[in-house]
Amino acid sequence: MAEIHTPYSSLKKLLSLFHSFLTVSGIILIGLGISAKCGGATLTRVLGLSSAYLLHVGCLCLVLGCIMILLSCAGWYGTTKESRGILLFCFLVMVIIFILEITAATVALLFFPIVRDVALEHTFMTLRKNYRGYNEPDDYSTEWNFVMEKLKCCGVNNYTDFSGSSFEMTTGHAYPRGCCKSIGTAACDGRNVSTGVIHQEGCFCKLLKITKAQSFTLSWGSLVAAMMQLPGILATLLLFIKLG
């Protein structure tokens, strides 16, 4: 028996292919969201609210990715059943998501210069006021200790940031143990500032590089996801019109 083709068989097959693109774009957005949430939390606690946009954009990508995967399933069902109502719903939601993705990409790019220009002074003052020491249990000190050990740096600009800080006034040390190249050595005594003992470079430039990398990853990832969805949006609209 010959295979029966409906007038829209070719378009439906093409749209089914585009639905797989929608699923992939949803997975990309979920990956971006998880990555931004994991890295953005530490950056926000260290750099302050000026870098919180990474968390917000990451959460948005996570939500949009989940919606997009569900939407691809709904779109596939609407295509199979030739349901104009489901196709119209999918089209409208995809357009909204497309606009939000472009917005997220723009925000990720535009807010980075704000971090670069605003965060330095805020981070410097906050470190001098709130940092308590290497073994202190508070979150702020713990995050800074992690950053200094992981990035092999000391302070915001360098070890002199701790001079006159609440840390120095409380402990009498010129720098915390997190600044040392080898924390367990006798030379790491809080006073020896030689290049062989402590890291001379500050953490801000390194944190800024991480922030920039995450901003560009979020921005370009959102744009790639949006471009993958565009053919599906147009094909959904075309099938909706032809079924009318």
Side-chain angles (χ1 to χ4, degrees), residues 45-46 48 122-134 136-142 144-145 161-162 165-170:
R45 284 192 287 267
V46 173
H122 170 79
T123 307
F124 174 72
M125 297 302 296
T126 307
L127 176 71
R128 290 174 58 83
K129 180 181 178 182
N130 294 339
Y131 182 79
R132 296 170 58 187
Y134 185 74
E136 295 298 327
D138 64 293
D139 290 339
Y140 185 80
S141 299
T142 301
W144 260 107
N145 291 327
D161 293 342
F162 296 100
S165 67
S166 59
F167 166 76
E168 185 187 47
M169 289 187 287
T170 302

Side-chain angles (χ1 to χ4, degrees), residues 53-124:
Y53 74 94
L54 289 173
L55 278 176
H56 299 325
V57 174
C59 289
L60 178 62
C61 287
L62 193 59
V63 172
L64 293 182
C66 294
I67 294 174
M68 186 54 65
I69 291 176
L70 295 175
L71 202 62
S72 67
C73 296
W76 174 84
Y77 180 81
T79 301
T80 303
K81 298 299 183 180
E82 297 185 0
S83 171
R84 295 186 79 235
I86 295 177
L87 290 173
L88 178 60
F89 171 78
C90 290
F91 170 75
L92 293 176
V93 176
M94 282 191 292
V95 169
I96 294 172
I97 290 177
F98 182 82
I99 294 172
L100 289 175
E101 286 167 345
I102 300 299
T103 303
T106 304
V107 168
L109 285 179
L110 292 182
F111 270 73
F112 174 71
I114 297 177
V115 176
R116 183 185 59 208
D117 298 335
V118 175
L120 176 59
E121 183 65 22
H122 170 79
T123 307
F124 174 72

Side-chain angles (χ1 to χ4, degrees), residues 27-40:
I27 294 173
I28 291 174
L29 289 172
I30 291 174
L32 288 173
I34 294 174
S35 175
K37 281 181 68 64
C38 292

Side-chain angles (χ1 to χ4, degrees), residues 154 158-163 167-168 172-176 179-181 186-201:
C154 184
N158 51 51
Y159 69 90
T160 61
D161 293 342
F162 296 100
S163 177
F167 166 76
E168 185 187 47
H173 294 163
Y175 58 84
C179 291
C180 295
K181 294 181 178 180
C188 179
D189 57 6
R191 297 177 179 83
N192 189 339
V193 295
S194 63
T195 55
V197 176
I198 66 171
H199 301 291
Q200 302 292 319
E201 185 180 358

Side-chain angles (χ1 to χ4, degrees), residues 160-232:
T160 61
D161 293 342
F162 296 100
S163 177
S165 67
S166 59
F167 166 76
E168 185 187 47
M169 289 187 287
T170 302
T171 64
H173 294 163
Y175 58 84
R177 280 194 289 169
C179 291
C180 295
K181 294 181 178 180
S182 297
I183 295 176
T185 60
C188 179
D189 57 6
R191 297 177 179 83
N192 189 339
V193 295
S194 63
T195 55
V197 176
I198 66 171
H199 301 291
Q200 302 292 319
E201 185 180 358
C203 299
F204 186 76
C205 289
K206 294 186 176 184
L207 288 169
L208 207 59
K209 288 180 182 178
I210 295 173
T211 305
K212 183 178 181 179
Q214 289 198 354
S215 295
F216 276 82
T217 300
L218 278 174
S219 179
W220 287 109
S222 298
L223 288 176
V224 167
M227 292 303 103
M228 291 180 68
Q229 294 159 13
L230 188 57

